[in-house]
Amino acid sequence: MVAASSIPGWKRGDGLLLVLTGAGISAESGIPTFRGAEGYWKVGSRNYRPMELATHEAFVAAPDDVWGWYLYRRAACRAARPNAAHLALAELERALGGDFLLVTQNVDGLHLRAGNTPERTYQIHGNIDFMRCSLECTAALAPIPSSFDFWEKGRSPSAAEKALLVCERCGAPSRPHVLWFDESYDEPRFRFTSSLAAIDRASMLVVVGTSGQTNLPNQICGVAARRRIPFVVVDPEPTPFSELALRVGGTFLRGAASDHVPKLATALVAPA
Ligand code: APR
């Protein structure tokens, strides 16, 4: 059990608690991480290196392959259920209300399905359940139809299926609503400015299950360290963020999200 006293310097009422999550929080829901041994970026095929599929360049060159890959990953997300760590963060938002904000790199939508609200959940890498116009004729998102809920690995959409993956407004092909490696964060789609503004005023940062390889999370953790706000990292392995937290007097809870996050959430809402 994590006692409230083991979270140095923070008590309910101190202001905004920012929680940053990565693929590790969904690992126990059965969704592979990216850089673990069975991770999406590690397990390839004869035909492609998976990381190369997560680019706009690949989408332009081979849209059917890219769609097939995302439909397969989306099917894995649809089949998964939120775990105890997701549910604990939803409970934490209910308890803290406007003093809670979740920034997630995960596109699996499990935080929303667990009960976190879209207003207080910044999906900074998108959401795999949605598509948008590849020609940017509109910023609107459209849900991917449920007929794609089951998808075998390696299958690309047929012509009839591709006709369902088009922009309703202009008829151009749609694309998955995810941030690719050769693209940049922005505010309207990925809440870039809002995320940075949030860490500027946050009173505490909790980081769960991320290996620290992406830009905006690095900026968030860097600001937290500079501001010397309470900084807690949950991960089974040391990461650049756990090392940073320890360097600035923070806490590293080494272990699985489903073990630590519910206890941490209980401790955080305990009366001071
Ligand atoms: N509980 C908590 N953390 C876990 C668990 C678990 N049960 N299992 C694994 N982890 C940790 C790993 O130790 C690792 O530190 O989760 C982290 C997963 O790291 P990555 O696979 O690199 O995933 P993430 O950090 O979310 O990747 C960031 O990279 O390619 C992009 O867009 C993709 O959003 C993704 C981003």
Side-chain angles (χ1 to χ4, degrees), residues 21-28 32-36 39-41 51 54 73 83 104-107 125 179 181 185 208-214 217 234-241 255-259 261:
T21 64
I25 197 167
S26 296
E28 292 163 89
T33 63
F34 293 96
R35 298 174 181 84
Y40 277 122
W41 300 155
M51 215 158 169
R73 279 186 50 202
N83 66 50
T104 185
Q105 298 167 84
N106 300 342
V107 298
H125 294 169
L179 181 66
F181 284 110
Y185 290 106
V208 184
T210 175
S211 66
Q213 307 299 310
T214 50
V234 177
D235 203 292
E237 303 298 334
T239 69
F241 295 154
S258 69
D259 182 24
V261 175

Side-chain angles (χ1 to χ4, degrees), residues 68-157:
W69 165 245
Y70 277 94
L71 290 170
Y72 163 66
R73 279 186 50 202
R74 175 180 175 273
C77 296
R78 301 289 298 176
R81 296 282 168 269
N83 66 50
H86 297 106
L87 296 172
L89 291 182
E91 192 56 45
L92 196 54
E93 180 181 341
R94 279 192 288 275
L96 298 180
D99 279 344
F100 175 93
L101 186 72
L102 179 56
V103 173
T104 185
Q105 298 167 84
N106 300 342
V107 298
D108 56 35
L110 286 179
H111 286 304
L112 299 178
R113 284 166 58 197
N116 286 111
T117 64
E119 296 72 32
R120 310 212 64 76
T121 305
Y122 295 171
Q123 300 177 107
I124 61 170
H125 294 169
N127 185 317
I128 204 164
D129 259 338
F130 291 86
M131 57 187 179
R132 62 176 205 261
C133 180
S134 65
L135 299 182
E136 311 284 342
C137 87
T138 166
L141 303 181
I144 292 174
S146 57
S147 54
F148 293 98
D149 280 3
F150 303 95
W151 199 262
E152 296 134 44
K153 190 174 186 176
R155 185 161 98 74
S156 298

